Amino acid sequence: MTWRDHWKRWSNCFWLDDDLKKQLKQIEKDEKELEDCFYKWMEFGTGGMRGKLGPGTNRMNTFTIRRAAEGLARYVEDYGEEAKQRGVVIAYDSRHQSYHFAMETALTLGAHDIQVYVFQELRPTPELSFAVRHLQAFAGVMITASHNPPEYNGFKVYGEDGGQFPPEPAQELMNKVVEVEDELSIQVADENTMKAKRQLMMIGEEVDKAYNEKLQTVSLHPKLLQSKGEQITIVFTPLHGTANFPVTRALETSGFKNVHVVQEQALPDPNFSTVKSPNPENKEAFTYAIAEGKRVDADILMATDPDADRLGLAVKNEHGEYELLTGNQTAALMLDYLLKERKAQQLLPKNGVMLTTIVSSELGRKIANHYGVTTVDTLTGFKFIGEKMKEYEKTRQYEFQFGFEESYGYLVKDFVRDKDGVQAALLCAEMALWYKEKENKTLYEALHTLYERFGYYREGLESLTLPGKDGLEQMENIITAFRKNPPSMIGDEEITIREDYFMSERFIVSNEQKETIKLPVSNVLKYKTEEETWFCIRPSGTEPKIKFYFGVKGNSLKEANDKLFRVKASVMEQVKKRM
């Protein structure tokens, strides 16, 4: 069917709700917008199904949610009656229509006699991951679009291990979704009937309490926290999302008494009214937190994204100003602290492993090596880290110690199988207290100690936003141009290794030898030099963006920063020539 055929189906559907009818009416003369709404079905990328709210097969709405849920129901049915009885846990964040989408998912599953658990209030993604494991459910669904703008929402699916669906089951699920021929006629169960049969159960405090108890195991020095926790002052903002309750509860339980929540951003708000983007990667998102930090003379500032799977950290620099750390810098601090203190307490296993991604900092690898911990790289997306955790749990080859990705995602303990901003908040608070009490250092000073010991590594990111059908084609053109005509230099350094993750091939330039990359196929390119400079090209799986990642190493922070600036400029100039 063409996009016009789909548009006509929707236009002639008398049971569309009034909002969808109104939105269709508003765009009926905008052919380009109509085509973008209907030219394809929403697909699962690195973070599930995510897109703009609105009418059409390529938008988030009641019927595309039902279609995804119907595919999930058929997927669960294939695993038999036990899988149906174990059921599906559903959580949702503060975005527009999140609760509605959660209930539509529940009622669609209910039509297949599948047990469903829905959180009675909004809860973060990591608690959904925990709940799947805690309730021994067969699967989970999180309704969220993470840090995307207010007009977005999404549908993320989790397996029985509590991890996001990796490629193989995700493809199996998508095959089930593709089989759904008419998303407008999907049958749903009656909510009251499901509740009467206890087929639909609303959950809350029991899971909250169990999650909070597990969070207390994150600490390496619980007695220090209880006795000295009031010695540091913390400012925290949930950026209008889900994290206020779980983070403040966990901090208070651990012993942190001086926690100041940014009141302007404390309550859920689907419009994220005080920020341009609810993204803790952006310094602008810390504007209110910085003001509050100055008012109370806070030691650290922390912010989570709307579904609380990511954490941003700001610390005082040498001038007494709050400086936002990158995800790689925060991860380096966390990793070094964890491994150092586990080693001191004889808790560090001989087969420890740190999991990270191909676009994250090499500083993490240097720190892990120092403590005798193996580093394993995965593709971008925490689902691949979760997949490795599941593998090592079965094979016992490695014991998980830490996982991180450069985009502010961290996991400390494995009772969750996705990045966990709540765990990260607890560990960052503990680190700040430990360095203040034990070494009379700020976290900023601790970071520079790491640089002096392991080298001055700096990373950066550039992205091009290319929305719509035309943008998708343009992204493909850029990466194809690099693949067919690879660069030979990064700035003034010769490229010595080219990696093509779509072809699963590593090419050694000096001897023209090829090696096999043993990772899932992905449309990603990476280039490296002998001086530890690298850049990577990757189309986003969840946003209309193509991303360019960079890494350098210098003999000083200034040298590394200057080098990073030059490398970015050099590569982006090459990008322009290939557009």
Side-chain angles (χ1 to χ4, degrees):
M1 298 177 73
T2 67
W3 69 264
R4 292 181 185 277
D5 295 326
H6 286 300
W7 171 43
K8 288 176 182 176
R9 283 195 309 115
W10 279 60
S11 298
N12 295 329
C13 180
F14 65 86
W15 57 85
L16 285 186
D17 63 66
D18 290 341
D19 282 344
L20 287 175
K21 287 178 182 177
K22 183 179 178 181
Q23 291 171 59
L24 271 179
K25 187 72 175 174
Q26 289 172 341
I27 62 172
E28 65 181 0
K29 294 182 180 179
D30 186 343
E31 188 162 301
K32 188 171 183 179
E33 178 66 15
L34 280 173
E35 182 180 9
D36 193 54
C37 286
F38 288 99
Y39 84 97
K40 66 172 185 174
W41 291 104
M42 298 204 76
E43 298 172 356
F44 281 84
T46 58
M49 183 175 75
R50 187 185 301 180
K52 288 184 178 180
L53 296 162
T57 57
N58 190 33
R59 293 289 186 268
M60 293 293 298
N61 53 63
T62 297
F63 300 100
T64 51
I65 284 288
R66 286 182 181 177
R67 183 173 186 260
E70 177 70 16
L72 176 59
R74 297 180 185 184
Y75 175 88
V76 174
E77 284 182 323
D78 276 0
Y79 286 84
E81 195 60 33
E82 183 189 2
K84 292 170 64 176
Q85 290 177 8
R86 288 170 61 191
V88 178
V89 186
I90 304 171
Y92 52 95
D93 69 5
S94 57
R95 289 180 172 274
H96 289 291
Q97 299 194 58
S98 282
Y99 176 73
H100 170 68
F101 289 164
M103 292 308 298
E104 287 294 337
T105 301
L107 301 182
T108 304
L109 293 168
H112 293 259
D113 294 322
I114 295 169
Q115 177 67 44
V116 183
Y117 304 90
V118 179
F119 276 93
Q120 59 192 9
E121 295 177 327
L122 74 175
R123 287 294 181 266
T125 291
E127 188 167 350
L128 180 277
S129 173
F130 171 80
V132 171
R133 297 173 61 82
H134 179 71
L135 296 171
Q136 299 182 355
F138 183 74
V141 172
M142 183 71 200
I143 305 296
T144 181
S146 188
H147 59 283
N148 284 88
E151 64 269 21
Y152 280 75
N153 213 327
F155 180 100
K156 288 167 65 173
V157 183
Y158 288 75
E160 60 185 336
D161 64 326
Q164 293 182 46
F165 265 26
E168 191 172 327
Q171 186 57 56
E172 190 179 339
L173 172 58
M174 278 309 301
N175 291 342
K176 294 295 181 184
V177 175
V178 169
E179 293 172 4
V180 181
E181 296 180 355
D182 185 2
E183 76 287 1
L184 298 176
S185 300
I186 293 169
Q187 297 298 306
V188 297
D190 177 72
E191 179 179 343
N192 292 330
T193 302
M194 284 185 70
K195 286 181 175 177
K197 295 194 302 183
R198 296 183 63 80
Q199 185 188 357
L200 169 56
M201 298 181 67
M202 307 304 287
I203 56 175
E205 176 58 25
E206 184 255 329
V207 177
D208 295 339
K209 183 179 179 182
Y211 178 52
N212 191 53
E213 287 174 355
K214 283 291 188 181
L215 286 168
Q216 301 313 305
T217 68
V218 168
S219 174
L220 285 159
H221 293 287
K223 291 181 180 179
L224 175 68
L225 272 53
Q226 291 295 337
S227 63
K228 299 285 188 178
E230 75 281 356
Q231 296 300 314
I232 66 163
T233 302
I234 300 165
V235 167
F236 170 65
T237 172
L239 295 178
H240 304 294
T242 61
N244 193 353
F245 168 69
V247 168
T248 55
R249 181 181 188 176
L251 288 171
E252 183 177 350
T253 305
S254 297
F256 296 102
K257 306 303 181 186
N258 283 327
V259 181
H260 300 261
V261 177
V262 176
Q263 291 306 304
E264 296 90 342
Q265 298 170 331
L267 296 178
D269 174 7
N271 294 315
F272 310 114
S273 303
T274 64
V275 291
K276 291 181 181 177
S277 171
N279 187 348
E281 294 183 61
N282 301 336
K283 187 175 181 180
E284 181 272 337
F286 276 81
T287 300
Y288 284 83
I290 289 171
E292 181 67 7
K294 290 179 178 178
R295 188 184 73 81
V296 301
D297 192 26
D299 294 277
I300 58 171
L301 317 177
M302 299 189 292
T304 48
D305 62 347
D307 67 323
D309 62 350
R310 302 189 309 139
L311 179 89
L313 177 67
V315 299
K316 285 183 179 178
N317 61 20
E318 69 268 36
H319 305 296
E321 297 295 323
Y322 291 108
E323 184 170 318
L324 176 60
L325 301 187
T326 68
N328 286 313
Q329 290 171 327
T330 300
L333 282 167
M334 295 170 76
L335 178 63
D336 182 70
Y337 176 75
L338 282 168
L339 300 186
K340 173 177 60 182
E341 292 307 299
R342 284 176 182 162
K343 184 176 181 180
Q345 296 178 26
Q346 298 184 330
L347 297 174
L348 195 60
K350 292 181 180 179
N351 64 336
V353 66
M354 187 272 288
L355 299 170
T356 187
T357 72
I358 60 172
V359 298
S360 298
S361 174
E362 287 297 303
L363 178 56
R365 190 186 313 275
K366 290 294 177 70
I367 293 170
N369 286 346
H370 176 75
Y371 292 102
V373 170
T374 300
T375 296
V376 172
D377 292 327
T378 72
L379 292 178
T380 309
F382 224 86
K383 66 182 181 181
F384 295 108
I385 291 177
E387 186 178 29
K388 280 294 178 186
M389 292 172 70
K390 186 177 181 179
E391 175 188 330
Y392 297 147
E393 195 172 47
K394 288 181 179 178
T395 65
R396 305 292 183 182
Q397 180 182 1
Y398 294 117
E399 287 189 44
F400 174 78
Q401 298 300 302
F402 186 65
F404 84 95
E405 58 184 6
E406 56 79 36
S407 56
Y408 291 60
Y410 327 98
L411 183 60
V412 183
K413 297 293 286 288
D414 65 1
F415 57 84
V416 166
R417 297 300 170 92
D418 201 352
K419 49 191 180 286
D420 189 339
V422 188
Q423 287 192 37
L426 272 176
L427 189 66
C428 287
E430 177 174 333
M431 283 195 306
L433 176 62
W434 190 91
Y435 278 108
K436 186 175 185 177
E437 290 292 314
K438 301 296 184 180
E439 297 189 5
N440 194 29
K441 286 181 180 178
T442 65
L443 286 181
Y444 184 82
E445 291 168 332
L447 175 64
H448 281 258
T449 300
L450 290 181
Y451 281 144
E452 290 166 10
R453 191 192 312 169
F454 297 109
Y456 292 85
Y457 289 85
R458 293 290 281 125
E459 297 78 32
L461 171 68
E462 296 287 334
S463 61
L464 298 175
T465 301
L466 302 167
K469 184 180 179 182
D470 293 343
L472 207 61
E473 292 174 357
Q474 200 170 2
M475 283 191 278
E476 187 58 42
N477 290 340
I478 291 170
I479 201 163
T480 298
F482 270 90
R483 181 171 281 120
K484 289 183 176 179
N485 184 25
S488 59
M489 306 284 288
I490 305 177
D492 57 0
E493 298 176 15
E494 287 188 11
I495 290 172
T496 55
I497 295 175
R498 301 199 303 260
E499 295 177 339
D500 188 331
Y501 290 82
F502 186 76
M503 304 300 294
S504 300
E505 182 177 281
R506 180 179 294 109
F507 182 75
I508 314 299
V509 175
S510 60
N511 56 15
E512 297 188 348
Q513 293 295 309
K514 293 180 180 179
E515 299 174 355
T516 300
I517 295 174
K518 295 179 181 179
L519 286 174
V521 171
S522 184
N523 195 18
V524 176
L525 299 171
K526 188 172 183 178
Y527 304 90
K528 304 176 183 179
T529 76
E530 289 207 354
E531 291 84 358
E532 295 191 72
T533 299
W534 59 268
F535 82 92
C536 185
I537 308 172
R538 169 184 166 264
S540 172
T542 57
E543 302 171 271
K545 290 181 179 181
I546 185 167
K547 297 184 176 183
F548 305 88
Y549 302 83
F550 308 89
V552 301
K553 182 186 179 185
N555 295 315
S556 68
L557 195 58
K558 183 181 186 306
E559 181 183 309
N561 285 333
D562 290 346
K563 189 175 184 180
L564 180 62
F565 179 83
R566 294 194 306 271
V567 166
K568 278 187 177 183
S570 169
V571 171
M572 296 314 291
E573 184 62 32
Q574 293 187 54
V575 173
K576 284 183 182 178
K577 292 177 181 178
R578 287 167 165 81
M579 289 183 73

